[in-house]
Amino acid sequence: MFEYFICPFLQYGFMQRALFGSIVLSVSCAPVGVFLMLRRMSLTGDAMSHAILPGAALGFLFFGLDILPMTIGGLVVGLLVALGSGVVSRFTVQKEDASMAAFYLISLAVGVLLVSWRGSSVDLMHVLFGSVLALNDEALALIVGIALVTFVAFTIFWRALVAECLDPLFLRSVSRIGGPVHFLFLTLVVLNLIGGFQALGTLLSVGLMMLPAVAARFWSNDVRSLCLIAITIAVASSLSGLLLSYHASMPSGPAIIFCAGAIYVFSALAGRRGMLSSLLRSSRHKTA
């Protein structure tokens, strides 16, 4: 048991760095995913994860796999896509989900073309799927910085974020901070996707954000409890995914998301608000 669960993290520095980066990402991304889920914007997170690709690709195009240019490019383009889709939905007949889908498909295509233009297939795979086992000091510093920003933002604006999430019309009727809080939340989404991009790539970064959040929904209704449960699921997925990738020689990023998906399926079946509980309640009502 010790050799299976503990030794990989004691013997190899890259496993320690991967575990540290994954845990910090879990603590930062999971609460953001909870708010996305409660806002019914789960697919928006997926769209935004693809939307940052052109900016990251431009940074890669001019500076290679340097973290700072790719981060700045991803942040700028991600925010532009979020604002652009919002403007289109506000001033045209198109809904925000449709405009977001259009923007993210264009962004994904442009990003892949840019990386393919100057890079190799290995570079493209690195950008799309990341490499959590290859996190360096710069990537870890970026992930920790994003986690700190997220923690401070949630600490200061917690009530406003909850109010804007559950009843945005009420918040806008009693305060003028509804719009700024919404923009702040979108910024946090983009920042955490950029952090996840360093470890999991643009295609899988949203997985550690959304799968723990939607799995937590089967266990609680309270927002704080949802965030804590989502963080616990994300950490467990990171730990089990890294161990699975090590012992089964699997890609680390997909292994982490696979474990998160397995926990989601279990929660959907056996959770306090899952299918089995619903069936038991229904049978009790019928017998009563």
Side-chain angles (χ1 to χ4, degrees):
M1 190 71 69
F2 177 82
E3 293 182 356
Y4 189 89
F5 290 104
I6 306 298
C7 279
F9 299 110
L10 293 180
Q11 293 178 348
Y12 301 104
F14 67 89
M15 289 291 289
Q16 298 171 11
R17 299 162 74 84
L19 180 62
F20 175 74
S22 300
I23 289 176
V24 175
L25 272 176
S26 300
V27 173
S28 181
C29 287
V32 176
V34 169
F35 279 87
L36 276 173
M37 175 192 63
L38 294 177
R39 290 166 177 260
R40 299 183 180 180
M41 294 172 60
S42 300
L43 292 178
T44 300
D46 183 55
M48 293 301 299
S49 69
H50 300 326
I52 68 175
L53 182 56
L58 284 173
F60 168 78
L61 196 64
F62 293 104
F63 299 96
L65 293 173
D66 192 352
I67 289 177
L68 184 60
M70 294 177 71
T71 299
I72 294 174
L75 178 62
V76 171
V77 174
L79 291 177
L80 286 176
V81 167
L83 291 174
S85 62
V87 169
V88 170
S89 63
R90 182 172 182 179
F91 294 102
T92 68
V93 297
Q94 195 168 64
K95 299 296 184 181
E96 188 172 8
D97 60 339
S99 59
M100 180 67 76
F103 273 90
Y104 105 76
L105 288 170
I106 295 170
S107 299
L108 180 61
V110 172
V112 171
L113 289 174
L114 286 173
V115 177
S116 302
W117 181 31
R118 289 285 295 273
S120 63
S121 59
V122 175
D123 295 324
L124 181 61
M125 292 294 289
H126 176 82
V127 171
L128 292 178
F129 295 101
S131 181
V132 68
L133 295 179
L135 290 174
N136 54 25
D137 291 338
E138 291 181 342
L140 289 176
L142 174 67
I143 292 170
V144 171
I146 290 172
L148 288 175
V149 170
T150 303
F151 176 77
V152 171
F154 273 119
T155 301
I156 297 174
F157 298 101
W158 174 263
R159 289 191 176 184
L161 285 167
V162 172
E164 207 274 333
C165 170
L166 300 178
D167 197 346
L169 294 178
F170 170 77
L171 180 63
R172 292 173 188 175
S173 66
V174 300
S175 174
R176 296 182 179 179
I177 66 172
V181 166
H182 183 68
F183 181 74
L184 169 67
F185 177 70
L186 289 178
T187 303
L188 292 178
V189 172
V190 175
L191 281 174
N192 280 274
L193 287 173
I194 290 173
F197 159 77
Q198 303 297 331
L200 303 171
T202 59
L203 294 185
L204 294 177
S205 60
V206 72
L208 201 59
M209 181 180 290
M210 292 312 308
L211 280 172
V214 295
R217 193 72 173 91
F218 294 109
W219 299 98
S220 178
N221 262 335
D222 178 70
V223 178
R224 293 182 186 273
S225 298
L226 283 172
C227 291
L228 292 175
I229 294 170
I231 290 172
T232 303
I233 292 174
V235 171
S237 302
S238 299
L239 177 60
S240 56
L242 288 173
L243 288 172
L244 180 63
S245 69
Y246 175 80
H247 291 291
S249 299
M250 297 172 61
S252 53
I256 291 173
I257 304 306
F258 171 78
C259 290
I263 295 175
Y264 168 78
V265 173
F266 171 79
S267 300
L269 291 173
R272 191 167 63 88
R273 306 175 71 241
M275 285 187 271
L276 293 179
S277 296
S278 298
L279 291 174
L280 288 174
R281 284 193 296 267
S282 299
S283 62
R284 286 172 184 171
H285 287 312
K286 290 179 180 179
T287 54

